Amino acid sequence: MNKTLSLVRRCLLMAAVAAMVSPGAAGAANPEAGSKGRRPNIIILLGDDLGFSDMGAFGGEIKTPNLDALAADGVRFTQFYTHASCSPTRSMLLSGVDTHRNGLGNMSEWTAPNQMGKPGYEGNLSRSVATLPQLLKDSGYHTYMVGKWHMGKAPDLIPAARGFERDFSLLDGAGSYWDMLNFTANTPVSLYTEDGRYLTKLPKNYYATETYTDKMISFIEANRGDGKPFFAYVAHQAPHDPYHLPRGERNGYVGQYDKGWDAVRAERLQRQKEMGIMPKDATLAERMWFVPDPTLLAPAASAMLGRKMELYAGMVENMDRHIGRLVNYLKKIGEYENTIFITFGDNGAEGTDLFEMIAGTPGTKNYLYASIAWSQNHINSWGDPHSYVGYGPMWAQVSMTPFSQYKGYFAEGGIRNALIVSGPIVKRAKGSINTAGYAHVADIMPTLLEVAGARYPETINGAKAPPLIGKSWVNMLAGKEDTPRSSKDYTAWEVFGNRAVRQGDWKIRWQYKPYGTETWELFNLAQDVAEHHDLAATQPEKVKELVALWDEYAKENNVILPNRVMAEGMVRKMPERFPVEAGFPPLMTSKQFVPPADMMADPKP
């Protein structure tokens, strides 16, 4: 009898242990186990300021064969949303919680006086939220990170403290690709961590994109063969400015962009239509009113501005090549087929001159620091250490073809991103394009918890856990539904005082002048993806309905609108806003009149 009881106890104990590490630990079966019944590996490939149309698979002319191969092996989504800026997106990606609850209600660099010290505005990923890597780690995954963190620098806020078993991370929001050089006089040195320790120096022959890839491969290799799946967060710094690139990779696009931004945008949109990325009747958003008509530029100016886009394209191609190294490594060790890849950019492309913003005005410490530390700015030095170049609003609009505006704003160009998902969870036709799947970066948390069989906690540090705001993609990726959202679901955003709501095909946005009108604008995205036509005056009831959703969102998430904003003084600094129309004014665009040859004559004596 005692022997039987002992056997029963042993069986119960074994079952309990198995439950703690099995895919069914959340109380639900793993929806898509990988090969041979193993849970799949998960890799998130994040491009920093990567534009919607930059990849070849989304209409770009930049050579991205490895990213395009992931698209051909998986599915592309054209209605995927992030936040309008870096750290807010990353905070939702890793927590699944709204920014005003997870600590990034505003970026730490722009926290307003009335937001300081308030819950949800810590400027780092709050300890009151659970993180995706921690939950996956608890469910039996290895968890690795390389690249940009941008969500806290104190010992209890760095990647190792938030669930990553191994990491090699840039803690700052940007920096040199060659060394530890940072941007301002007060913060001249970028901070890095490796496996939870702050680095005193960088590895020999450091180049960010290459080193991040080397480190991730080494992390996976170190634990290969132990039977555990891994979660890898590859948060590339590229292609965020400054555009630093090895000398041998700077001339792959020479002269290709001298034709100007309008021509490149038109070419990209045409390819998007041919691919099915955009509808046949889609049009380009209006060129930003302060951006010149490229056909009016002198050849030298066209070449100089084109050079900036050449370097950007080289950065994207370089990132793609290193992503290919990681993919090929996984194929070599037999893990590619059992790996889910989720690939996207963290927000719209960067159209603001960050260097000018950081350096400030002559006579300040930052201006002096920038003049010394970032002094290698002859065009022949662009890409070298101590050089700083970004490509400006004209090329940012190209990267966000066909949308309006770019990073920092709530036009589609600030928040809509290209998304590729591939791997064993995808049951849709390979290479297919989902144009109906209205998805959001916060969806990644519930999706991957379901895939891993992990459970979101009811409490965190003794307090009730904030709610997840996303929707799982498991059924959508399996082809059982086209979108995870109903017509009643809505998404809302706010940062820097700008705000937006989308429900179904309808969207309202409120933005400070000069990028907005400081009133609610209304757009039907199914009919007007470029947001040409503000329908607020003709659809006041729809505006009222969506504003009510905004009020509900703001109340539920304790939104504190800032009393100081980035837009201060911007109207005075920029040209007055007028519509941009092709061919106007004719004075500037009319060609020399050439009379008929048979009517030409020399003057009479």
Side-chain angles (χ1 to χ4, degrees):
M1 185 70 168
N2 290 337
K3 195 171 184 179
T4 302
L5 286 171
S6 177
L7 182 60
V8 170
R9 290 192 187 100
R10 185 180 178 190
C11 290
L12 289 171
L13 178 61
M14 290 175 67
V17 171
M20 286 191 288
V21 297
S22 74
N30 179 17
E32 299 292 344
S35 60
K36 300 179 182 178
R38 296 184 295 124
R39 286 186 290 175
N41 307 311
I42 301 162
I43 294 182
I44 293 176
L45 298 170
L46 188 65
D48 195 351
D49 296 353
L50 181 68
F52 178 88
S53 69
D54 285 330
M55 291 184 278
F58 282 82
E61 71 293 327
I62 301 173
K63 301 180 185 70
T64 55
N66 297 291
L67 290 167
D68 296 349
L70 290 176
D73 208 24
V75 58
R76 282 165 282 177
F77 294 87
T78 65
Q79 295 204 65
F80 170 68
Y81 288 87
T82 58
H83 216 292
S85 196
C86 309
S87 49
T89 290
R90 292 157 198 267
S91 70
M92 289 196 292
L93 166 62
L94 294 186
S95 73
V97 172
D98 184 78
T99 54
H100 301 90
R101 290 174 179 253
N102 70 25
L104 270 298
N106 202 343
M107 296 180 70
S108 61
E109 296 89 343
W110 294 99
T111 307
N114 67 322
Q115 296 170 335
M116 291 181 180
K118 303 295 176 58
Y121 294 86
E122 292 85 353
N124 55 65
L125 189 58
S126 171
R127 297 294 300 183
S128 67
V129 299
T131 68
L132 178 59
Q134 186 62 60
L135 297 178
L136 292 178
K137 185 178 180 182
D138 291 346
S139 71
Y141 272 72
H142 288 300
T143 55
Y144 311 133
M145 176 190 167
V146 293
K148 173 174 150 180
W149 177 242
H150 202 192
M151 290 183 290
K153 298 179 180 180
D156 64 334
L157 300 174
I158 59 178
R162 304 315 307 268
F164 285 105
E165 175 185 340
R166 301 289 307 275
D167 83 284
F168 184 91
S169 306
L170 167 67
L171 301 184
D172 294 272
S176 171
Y177 287 70
W178 299 110
D179 49 39
M180 301 177 85
L181 188 65
N182 207 338
F183 296 140
T184 69
N186 288 335
T187 58
V189 179
S190 294
L191 292 179
Y192 291 79
T193 60
E194 185 168 21
D195 297 342
R197 308 291 291 182
Y198 296 89
L199 294 182
T200 58
K201 60 182 180 180
L202 293 172
K204 188 178 180 181
N205 299 321
Y206 176 82
Y207 176 70
T209 314
E210 181 175 15
T211 302
Y212 295 153
T213 306
D214 291 343
K215 290 292 182 179
M216 182 54 74
I217 291 173
S218 73
F219 294 164
I220 297 170
E221 180 66 20
N223 291 317
R224 181 161 66 93
D226 68 1
K228 294 176 65 174
F230 63 81
F231 166 63
Y233 177 40
V234 184
H236 276 298
Q237 195 174 333
H240 195 296
D241 54 349
Y243 300 156
H244 286 169
L245 196 61
R247 281 186 173 265
E249 299 182 44
R250 296 178 194 172
N251 296 322
Y253 297 86
V254 170
Q256 189 162 336
Y257 297 107
D258 291 3
K259 68 186 76 171
W261 33 91
D262 287 358
V264 180
R265 272 211 301 164
E267 292 168 357
R268 288 194 179 189
L269 178 58
Q270 182 58 37
R271 285 192 292 269
Q272 288 175 338
K273 291 179 179 181
E274 292 168 358
M275 290 177 171
I277 296 292
M278 284 292 137
K280 297 296 184 182
D281 60 352
T283 59
L284 289 170
E286 179 182 279
R287 185 191 337 122
M288 302 296 284
W289 74 97
F290 54 87
V291 170
D293 180 341
T295 65
L296 302 180
L297 295 178
S302 293
M304 184 189 72
L305 293 173
R307 182 60 173 167
K308 295 183 176 186
M309 185 63 192
E310 291 170 17
L311 290 173
Y312 177 86
M315 293 274 291
V316 174
E317 184 176 343
N318 175 276
M319 180 179 70
D320 177 84
R321 180 167 63 81
H322 288 293
I323 287 171
R325 290 176 52 221
L326 176 59
V327 170
N328 289 335
Y329 164 75
L330 294 173
K331 290 179 177 178
K332 180 180 178 181
I333 65 173
E335 290 292 342
Y336 174 79
E337 297 294 336
N338 193 44
T339 300
I340 297 167
F341 291 88
I342 301 175
T343 306
F344 60 99
D346 65 343
N347 42 243
E350 179 61 87
T352 302
D353 188 336
L354 292 180
F355 187 66
E356 181 181 36
M357 183 184 297
I358 292 165
T361 56
T364 64
K365 290 190 298 182
N366 282 347
Y367 191 88
L368 176 62
Y369 175 81
S371 301
I372 298 171
W374 297 94
S375 59
Q376 301 304 306
N377 283 312
H378 186 278
I379 191 170
N380 292 336
S381 298
W382 286 356
D384 286 348
H386 299 276
S387 68
Y388 197 113
V389 59
Y391 65 179
M394 60 288 289
W395 296 117
Q397 276 204 282
V398 169
S399 287
M400 297 314 298
T401 303
F403 306 129
S404 176
Q405 302 182 11
Y406 39 72
K407 177 181 175 181
Y409 302 98
F410 288 117
E412 293 293 279
I415 54 177
R416 197 190 288 207
N417 279 268
L419 171 68
I420 300 169
V421 183
S422 65
I425 193 174
V426 179
K427 302 304 179 185
R428 289 174 172 269
K430 289 188 176 183
S432 61
I433 300 171
N434 183 327
T435 59
Y438 165 25
H440 188 271
V441 67
D443 300 342
I444 292 173
M445 175 77 135
T447 301
L448 295 184
L449 292 184
E450 185 173 352
V451 168
R455 174 177 288 144
Y456 186 69
E458 295 181 2
T459 61
I460 300 171
N461 299 325
K464 185 178 179 181
L468 295 179
I469 62 172
K471 306 282 185 178
S472 174
W473 296 342
V474 167
N475 286 337
M476 180 173 68
L477 294 171
K480 297 177 182 178
E481 60 187 22
D482 286 332
T483 178
R485 286 174 170 76
S486 73
S487 60
K488 297 297 183 184
D489 290 320
Y490 73 93
T491 307
W493 299 261
E494 184 276 329
V495 73
F496 312 139
N498 298 321
R499 60 212 86 146
V501 175
R502 176 172 174 178
Q503 184 183 49
D505 293 331
W506 291 98
K507 173 185 170 184
I508 55 169
R509 72 182 194 212
W510 191 106
Q511 299 192 130
Y512 282 100
K513 294 177 180 178
Y515 285 82
T517 62
E518 297 184 14
T519 61
W520 286 108
E521 300 171 90
L522 175 69
F523 302 95
N524 186 309
L525 298 177
Q527 301 171 2
D528 181 22
V529 73
E531 297 173 292
H532 282 292
H533 308 293
D534 176 11
L535 304 176
T538 59
Q539 300 267 10
E541 289 304 312
K542 178 56 70 173
V543 174
K544 183 178 179 181
E545 178 184 329
L546 295 177
V547 169
L549 294 180
W550 162 261
D551 292 338
E552 175 182 271
Y553 163 79
K555 182 178 179 180
E556 289 181 354
N557 292 282
N558 303 313
V559 174
I560 302 172
L561 294 176
N563 60 357
R564 300 291 304 275
V565 294
M566 292 175 61
E568 291 177 0
M570 193 177 288
V571 172
R572 295 196 311 275
K573 295 176 183 177
M574 297 180 72
E576 191 172 353
R577 185 170 183 173
F578 295 102
V580 174
E581 297 186 57
F584 182 83
L587 169 67
M588 307 303 294
T589 59
S590 297
K591 303 294 185 181
Q592 173 71 47
F593 177 75
V594 179
D598 61 353
M599 294 185 67
M600 301 294 290
D602 293 331
K604 295 179 179 180

